[in-house]
Amino acid sequence: MDAVLHSIFQKVQNAERIDAADCLALFESNDLLSLGRIANVVRERKNGNRAYYNINRHINYSNVCYVDCKFCEFGQPKSSAKAYELSMEEMKRLGQEAAAQGATEFHIVGGLHPDLKLDYYENLLKTFKSVAPQVHLKAFTAVEIDYFAKISRLEVEEVLQRLVAAGLGSMPGGGAEVLTERVRKLVCINKSSGQRWIDIHRIAHKMGLRSNATLLYGHVENSQDKVEHLQMLRDLQDETKGFQTFIPLSFIPYDTQLAHLPPTTGLSDLKHIAVSRIFLDNFPHIKVYWIMTGIKIAQLALNFGADDIDGTVMQERIVHMAGAQTPEGLHVEELVRLVREAGREPTERDTLYNLVSRSAA
Ligand code: V47
């Protein structure tokens, strides 16, 4: 371990907070094993030997989206042959099927649809609650919430209050991409600003909602952008304590407008897990999203800072439309096997990290 990493290691061992310059040094280092060793100290201090997973289903009501982010192939204009909208009947069926398989969470997100109104989204949540009242609804990114506020000419608080009344339980971490304006201008110029994303999570947290945060890495961003992104998240978390989990998302380029970029590497995937675990000292959990990293890297990540391996997902569309080669869902037995083999203790959780115990069948 070189002198710079060694001094960061000492701070972490003494539970001292590292600063933005330290974070930059971590991103600039390729000494992966040392990064993992440092991250593991934080990971085990916070979560011991546990590795969390859940039984969840992703449901993407529609991919119609007017925004046209360069990294996203899921969002399509209404006229595209790839555009779709699920019917309420179909969504009921998906909800019932997942609930019968023991799902405790539906993760519901979609594009920014030019025609749907706020009552559609309220109805959507009510429909899921009517078929599976016990299942937690983690729904709508801050970008969707911002859009709902614009189209309904309501304040964000009121939109969230109406959605909570319809069954909203918490918010996922999508739409953050890279929060700096430099990167947003390059890859998602039509989207809510990074500051707006932060402000909406602040409002949600102040209303008592929990949420997650993400970072989309491996495209046009540099290390400085990522440090600023993590700093914005850490600052908000100091203020509200409303974030549960941070999820670094590795960019899948194949069928996107950025197809000329190379895919991320194993080294880079594990580095992002480790650096975020070390810097985000006020986030309880770091999740490795196996859908994007692949199962093999996800398993290794459990010893490089991650304490959560996400869930069964059942049907992933966002990055599979971008050409991801990973499975679209996993059986819970497979998740448990991966965790055990990594030497961690598989721990089923619900969305809010309450432990779930199931009696053996
Ligand atoms: O916001 C879009 C990203 C996100 C691509 O909160 C891409 O628990 C890689 O946020 N390659 C949605 N990523 C997914 C997401 C998420 C996933 C799992 C759990 C949680 C949680 C949140 O996917 C988008 C965008 O950043 N994305 N296109 C792509 N080609």
Side-chain angles (χ1 to χ4, degrees):
M1 193 181 294
D2 68 20
V4 175
L5 286 193
H6 192 257
S7 86
I8 295 174
F9 193 22
Q10 278 183 328
K11 285 190 195 172
V12 169
Q13 281 176 317
N14 297 333
E16 255 176 67
R17 181 164 261 197
I18 67 162
D19 64 17
D22 294 328
C23 188
L24 191 62
L26 293 175
F27 274 125
E28 296 294 312
S29 168
N30 287 326
D31 180 359
L32 184 63
L33 292 182
S34 297
L35 295 178
R37 193 169 155 209
I38 304 171
N40 226 6
V41 171
V42 187
R43 186 241 189 266
E44 290 183 0
R45 185 184 291 145
K46 286 185 180 287
N47 292 293
N49 201 33
R50 283 185 167 158
Y52 293 98
Y53 65 93
N54 71 353
I55 302 187
N56 63 348
R57 171 160 207 133
H58 283 215
I59 299 170
N60 303 115
Y61 50 92
S62 172
N63 68 340
V64 175
C65 188
Y66 78 85
V67 176
D68 194 27
C69 301
K70 290 204 166 84
F71 53 79
C72 183
E73 184 60 17
F74 170 75
Q76 295 287 327
K78 225 173 135 182
S79 55
S80 159
K82 293 188 198 164
Y84 73 85
E85 208 174 304
L86 299 180
S87 68
M88 286 289 174
E89 280 315 302
E90 173 68 354
M91 285 192 277
K92 261 190 192 172
R93 192 186 64 73
L94 293 175
Q96 275 160 339
E97 192 185 87
Q101 291 175 45
T104 57
E105 170 188 287
F106 298 152
H107 177 145
I108 307 164
V109 293
L112 304 190
H113 196 296
D115 305 330
L116 302 175
K117 303 281 178 260
L118 184 57
D119 61 351
Y120 169 89
Y121 302 103
E122 293 176 277
N123 231 338
L124 184 71
L125 297 176
K126 285 181 190 158
T127 301
F128 284 117
K129 279 290 170 199
S130 74
V131 294
Q134 74 286 8
V135 176
H136 180 105
L137 305 182
K138 181 178 79 179
F140 309 129
T141 66
V143 173
E144 287 166 285
I145 300 293
D146 188 22
Y147 182 61
F148 302 166
K150 277 193 194 114
I151 58 172
S152 60
R153 297 177 192 209
L154 294 172
E155 295 297 325
V156 168
E157 285 86 346
E158 200 174 330
V159 170
L160 285 171
Q161 272 157 10
R162 282 172 64 162
L163 295 173
V164 167
L168 181 72
S170 65
M171 281 168 61
E177 324 311 356
V178 178
L179 293 168
T180 62
E181 281 314 291
R182 190 191 80 80
V183 172
R184 288 179 109 75
K185 269 193 195 137
L186 293 172
V187 295
C188 53
I189 193 160
N190 298 322
K191 204 166 199 156
S192 317
S193 70
Q195 190 53 53
R196 184 75 175 149
W197 189 97
I198 289 281
D199 291 344
I200 288 172
H201 281 262
R202 178 185 290 106
I203 293 168
H205 294 170
K206 294 208 162 150
M207 290 171 60
L209 284 167
R210 292 276 177 268
S211 71
N212 293 336
T214 55
L215 160 74
L216 179 66
Y217 65 90
H219 46 100
V220 305
E221 84 289 357
N222 59 34
S223 298
Q224 188 58 47
D225 293 311
K226 287 184 283 216
V227 172
E228 282 177 38
H229 179 103
L230 294 181
Q231 184 78 60
M232 286 166 86
L233 296 177
R234 194 171 80 173
D235 289 348
L236 180 60
Q237 181 73 336
D238 277 343
E239 195 185 323
T240 64
K241 301 192 172 43
F243 287 121
Q244 304 198 106
T245 312
F246 177 72
I247 312 138
L249 301 173
S250 43
F251 175 52
I252 312 288
Y254 308 113
D255 296 331
T256 72
Q257 295 170 56
L258 301 175
H260 56 283
L261 295 177
T264 66
T265 59
L267 187 142
S268 155
D269 290 338
L270 291 174
K271 185 198 285 194
H272 283 81
I273 293 282
V275 175
S276 54
R277 179 60 292 172
I278 300 166
F279 187 73
L280 295 176
D281 59 352
N282 53 4
F283 272 62
H285 304 285
I286 302 290
K287 185 192 280 188
V288 59
Y289 188 37
W290 60 265
I291 286 273
M292 294 185 189
T293 62
I295 293 163
K296 294 182 181 183
I297 293 292
Q299 188 187 37
L300 295 178
L302 299 175
N303 283 295
F304 280 79
D307 62 280
D308 188 318
I309 194 166
D310 202 75
T312 50
V313 180
M314 297 189 197
Q315 187 186 23
E316 203 288 330
R317 290 177 193 256
I318 297 181
V319 290
H320 284 83
M321 285 190 73
Q325 300 297 308
T326 54
E328 282 187 47
L330 275 185
H331 289 296
V332 68
E333 295 78 12
E334 178 67 354
L335 282 173
V336 167
R337 186 181 74 83
L338 292 169
V339 170
R340 280 226 170 89
E341 201 191 59
R344 298 299 189 187
E345 186 190 326
T347 308
E348 186 180 347
R349 61 162 178 90
D350 66 13
T351 310
L352 302 175
Y353 286 83
N354 299 302
L355 302 191
V356 174
S357 62
R358 294 178 193 265
S359 45

